[in-house]
Amino acid sequence: MIKKAIIPAAGYGTRGLPITKVVPKELFPIGVKPAIHYVVEEALASGIEEILFVVSQSKNLIANYFDRSLELEAFLEKKQSTHLLEKNKIPDIHIQYIRQPYARGLGDAILLGKNFVGNDPFAVLLPDEVIFNNKTNGLKQLIKVYEKQKKSVLGLYEVEKHLLSNYGVVESRKIEKKISKIVNIVEKPQKNPPSNLAVIGRYIFNPSIFSYIEGLTPGVGKEIQLTDAINEMMKAESFFGTTIVGDRFDISRFEEFLAANQYIQPFME
């Protein structure tokens, strides 16, 4: 079973400037909850028991959000606002934090979780991507594949051609409906992407991924690219991908942030 998850949240959020100078993009609201709250709820609903947040020095607001506010609780109790106390509850899950001193890429952020993970398979969830599905969730779909294959699994999503240059894009061989064996990944292809299947913000890895990250030199954008580690790992181990079913929003893109709020609105009425 997958019991541990890493949530990298140390990036600068440059696509969200200027607001991300002071408000982490992970705290952008979808309805009345920040995006990262939905991602933590997804992890909890998938059986995750421990989460490691990788944050930067400027992301203290994330830790504050997931901490109890005893002063606020006391105020609401005094006002007998029990419905607001219920609304203010944070997900009941064990959370740890580690700082990434400099944003050197997703691979570097995940490597900081090596001691936290130990020898266990683990999940990675990117907190600027939210997935809505009334019957299941994104991570559960990956876990189902992992439990069958016992190999690392990537979350895939069909993305419009003009957006593929923002993602890692896979070359794969379909083995079942919605499930593929990954052959290759190209990081942010500027032309001739191998498919329209992008790797989105859900992963399950066997812990051997760390040894491949440790052997990397900086790649695209002079960062330690997780994609490079996956390609190296695939030379020795099989990798699978599952095309996630659900409505997925990348809230670092302004139009998708707005779309996520429009999507969630009927559920709040």
Side-chain angles (χ1 to χ4, degrees), residues 10-72:
Y12 291 121
T14 52
R15 285 193 284 178
L17 287 170
I19 188 63
T20 47
K21 286 193 297 184
V22 291
V23 179
K25 64 180 178 180
E26 297 84 4
L27 293 181
F28 285 2
I30 301 174
V32 295
K33 294 191 293 190
I36 200 168
H37 190 125
Y38 291 94
V39 174
V40 170
E41 287 181 330
E42 179 182 336
L44 182 60
S46 302
I48 299 297
E49 297 177 354
E50 299 179 69
I51 289 176
L52 177 70
F53 281 120
V54 181
V55 296
S56 63
Q57 190 174 12
S58 62
K59 298 288 185 84
N60 292 329
L61 283 175
I62 294 174
N64 291 345
Y65 178 81
F66 286 104
D67 196 5
R68 290 180 62 186
S69 173
L70 298 180
E71 182 181 355
L72 176 59

Side-chain angles (χ1 to χ4, degrees), residues 62-88:
I62 294 174
N64 291 345
Y65 178 81
F66 286 104
D67 196 5
R68 290 180 62 186
S69 173
L70 298 180
E71 182 181 355
L72 176 59
E73 290 175 19
F75 172 79
L76 294 175
E77 285 176 357
K78 185 177 179 181
K79 293 287 186 180
Q80 296 184 329
S81 300
T82 53
H83 67 292
L84 293 177
L85 276 169
E86 186 66 26
K87 182 181 286 190
N88 193 51

Side-chain angles (χ1 to χ4, degrees), residues 1 3 8 11 15 45 70 119 125 172 183 225 230 232 251:
M1 293 292 291
K3 297 296 184 184
R15 285 193 284 178
L70 298 180
N119 295 318
L125 301 95
S172 61
V183 176
Q225 294 289 349
I230 293 171
E232 286 299 312
I251 58 98

Side-chain angles (χ1 to χ4, degrees), residues 25-241:
K25 64 180 178 180
E26 297 84 4
L27 293 181
F28 285 2
I30 301 174
V32 295
K33 294 191 293 190
I36 200 168
H37 190 125
Y38 291 94
V39 174
V40 170
E41 287 181 330
E42 179 182 336
L44 182 60
S46 302
I48 299 297
E49 297 177 354
E50 299 179 69
I51 289 176
L52 177 70
F53 281 120
V54 181
V55 296
S56 63
Q57 190 174 12
S58 62
K59 298 288 185 84
N60 292 329
L61 283 175
I62 294 174
N64 291 345
Y65 178 81
F66 286 104
D67 196 5
R68 290 180 62 186
S69 173
L70 298 180
E71 182 181 355
L72 176 59
E73 290 175 19
F75 172 79
L76 294 175
E77 285 176 357
K78 185 177 179 181
K79 293 287 186 180
Q80 296 184 329
S81 300
T82 53
H83 67 292
L84 293 177
L85 276 169
E86 186 66 26
K87 182 181 286 190
N88 193 51
K89 277 188 176 179
I90 56 176
D92 185 17
I93 193 167
H94 179 74
I95 295 176
Q96 299 180 45
Y97 299 86
I98 190 169
R99 278 187 175 173
Q100 185 183 26
Y102 181 74
R104 297 181 62 232
L106 182 56
D108 181 69
I110 291 172
L111 185 58
L112 292 172
K114 182 178 180 180
N115 290 337
F116 166 77
V117 166
N119 295 318
D120 300 319
F122 65 101
V124 174
L125 301 95
L126 302 191
D128 51 3
E129 298 190 38
V130 293
I131 300 166
F132 297 110
N133 182 316
N134 326 346
K135 298 179 181 177
T136 183
N137 66 45
L139 185 57
K140 279 184 179 179
Q141 293 175 58
L142 271 69
I143 289 174
K144 186 176 180 180
V145 177
Y146 181 85
E147 289 177 344
K148 181 177 180 180
Q149 302 292 346
K150 303 302 181 186
K151 301 292 183 182
S152 299
V153 185
L154 308 178
L156 306 176
Y157 205 79
E158 292 184 4
V159 171
E160 295 177 34
K161 187 175 181 180
H162 71 280
L163 296 175
L164 289 170
S165 60
N166 297 314
Y167 300 94
V169 181
V170 301
E171 178 184 353
S172 61
R173 187 176 73 251
K174 184 174 285 190
I175 58 173
E176 293 180 31
K177 185 180 179 181
K178 302 293 182 183
I179 301 174
S180 304
K181 186 172 182 180
I182 307 300
V183 176
N184 184 36
I185 307 177
V186 179
E187 179 65 20
K188 298 181 179 178
Q190 299 305 303
K191 57 181 180 179
N192 301 323
S195 72
N196 68 338
L197 285 176
V199 180
I200 61 167
R202 302 294 183 271
Y203 312 77
I204 292 177
F205 291 114
N206 281 321
S208 52
I209 186 68
F210 292 116
S211 63
Y212 294 95
I213 299 174
E214 288 171 329
L216 293 180
T217 55
V220 174
K222 297 182 179 179
E223 295 182 341
I224 302 299
Q225 294 289 349
L226 179 62
T227 297
D228 293 341
I230 293 171
N231 275 325
E232 286 299 312
M233 189 172 170
M234 278 194 294
K235 295 175 182 178
E237 302 182 28
S238 295
F239 254 86
F240 292 87

Side-chain angles (χ1 to χ4, degrees), residues 10 124 248 262 265:
V124 174
R248 171 252 182 196
Q262 291 170 350
Q265 188 65 38

